[in-house]
Amino acid sequence: EAQVTQNPRYLITVTGKKLTVTCSQNMNHEYMSWYRQDPGLGLRQIYYSMNVEVTDKGDVPEGYKVSRKEKRNFPLILESPSPNQTSLYFCASFHSGSSYEQYFGPGTRLTVT
Amino acid sequence: AQSVTQLDSQVPVFEEAPVELRCNYSSSVSVYLFWYVQYPNQGLQLLLKYLSGSTLVESINGFEAEFNKSQTSFHLRKPSVHISDTAEYFCALNNFNKFYFGSGTKLNVKP
């Protein structure tokens, strides 16, 4: 089954404790992206990657890191989480040069206390 | 700068009534436009998209949207809604591989 998976689905952590949210897709998509969803703000793009070893900033990259060492994986790293990073995070992917149809993961709800 | 504005945060409507969800965008260059739907506790699913060609695009479940370049709008319409259409709808644009989303419109279909 074609899908985007994220882990963990729920995470409660404390300020300053480094964490990684994993994202993996099995569709051989070149493009992968991370978004955060906050009430009243919709989705905002954090980082995206056009292919392996190619990443770029979205609208709200501060406080986040990403890497794209393999085509299928695109982890999101919070080196020192803060309470304002409490949010619902989505990973998405699509095949470059196609119809721009993004496939979204199920989401990761992160709470930073 | 690119941006997407969804003017209505919530739209209540009775079943079988028509509905329009409004979306306006701001961009100095050509863009691709999308509508996504999010059902409770789920990720987003693509509903329909405008990339080029006909300005009227349709989805498989009866929604349609019209790209209007002069008014910079991409409103979503359905002539008769069902209870199952209750969800949050997001308008989005793509420009140079970046995506920009609106703040979302919650459609609440009442029996």
Side-chain angles (χ1 to χ4, degrees):
Chain A
E1 180 190 355
Q3 59 182 351
V4 178
T5 57
Q6 296 178 225
N7 283 292
R9 294 288 312 280
Y10 303 90
L11 179 59
I12 301 174
T13 189
V14 296
T15 298
K17 186 177 181 182
K18 180 179 178 179
L19 67 91
T20 299
V21 184
T22 64
C23 172
S24 183
Q25 50 92 7
N26 62 0
M27 296 167 280
N28 203 36
H29 287 166
E30 293 85 6
Y31 187 104
M32 297 186 74
S33 181
W34 276 104
Y35 299 89
R36 59 178 290 173
Q37 182 179 15
D38 301 290
L41 296 178
L43 278 78
R44 292 177 292 169
Q45 193 169 33
I46 303 170
Y47 270 96
Y48 64 96
S49 169
M50 296 295 293
N51 214 323
V52 176
E53 303 291 0
V54 180
T55 62
D56 209 344
K57 297 178 181 178
D59 241 11
V60 289
E62 296 77 20
Y64 304 94
K65 285 177 57 177
V66 293
S67 67
R68 188 91 182 273
K69 293 183 170 60
E70 304 168 283
K71 198 172 187 179
R72 63 183 293 126
N73 297 322
F74 191 45
L76 179 69
I77 303 158
L78 285 72
E79 294 269 3
S80 183
S82 63
N84 64 13
Q85 293 178 298
T86 291
S87 187
L88 180 58
Y89 291 86
F90 287 101
C91 181
S93 72
F94 72 88
H95 176 57
S96 297
S98 70
S99 60
Y100 284 79
E101 179 174 355
Q102 289 193 88
Y103 291 81
F104 281 81
T108 295
R109 187 166 292 282
L110 172 65
T111 301
V112 184
T113 61
Chain B
Q2 330 294 325
S3 67
V4 177
T5 302
Q6 292 183 245
L7 298 168
D8 305 300
S9 60
Q10 297 194 51
V11 173
V13 63
F14 287 105
E15 194 173 20
E16 297 184 7
V19 71
E20 178 180 81
L21 307 184
R22 296 179 292 171
C23 172
N24 287 89
Y25 68 92
S26 173
S27 176
S28 58
V29 297
S30 295
V31 296
Y32 299 146
L33 293 162
F34 309 84
W35 274 100
Y36 286 86
V37 58
Q38 185 179 33
Y39 298 104
N41 301 312
Q42 294 187 26
L44 278 72
Q45 303 171 35
L46 181 67
L47 191 60
L48 46 77
K49 62 183 183 287
Y50 171 77
L51 303 182
S52 64
S54 173
T55 56
L56 185 65
V57 291
E58 299 177 352
S59 72
I60 58 173
N61 56 354
F63 282 94
E64 64 178 31
E66 186 160 19
F67 170 60
N68 188 319
K69 189 174 182 179
S70 62
Q71 297 187 5
T72 59
S73 67
F74 191 55
H75 301 330
L76 182 69
R77 301 183 183 94
K78 189 170 186 179
S80 176
V81 294
H82 302 289
I83 295 287
S84 59
D85 293 324
T86 294
E88 189 160 19
Y89 293 78
F90 293 92
C91 184
L93 73 80
N94 173 275
N95 178 244
F96 295 117
N97 299 310
K98 283 190 176 181
F99 283 87
Y100 302 86
F101 283 77
S103 54
T105 298
K106 290 183 179 177
L107 177 63
N108 184 14
V109 182
K110 304 176 182 180

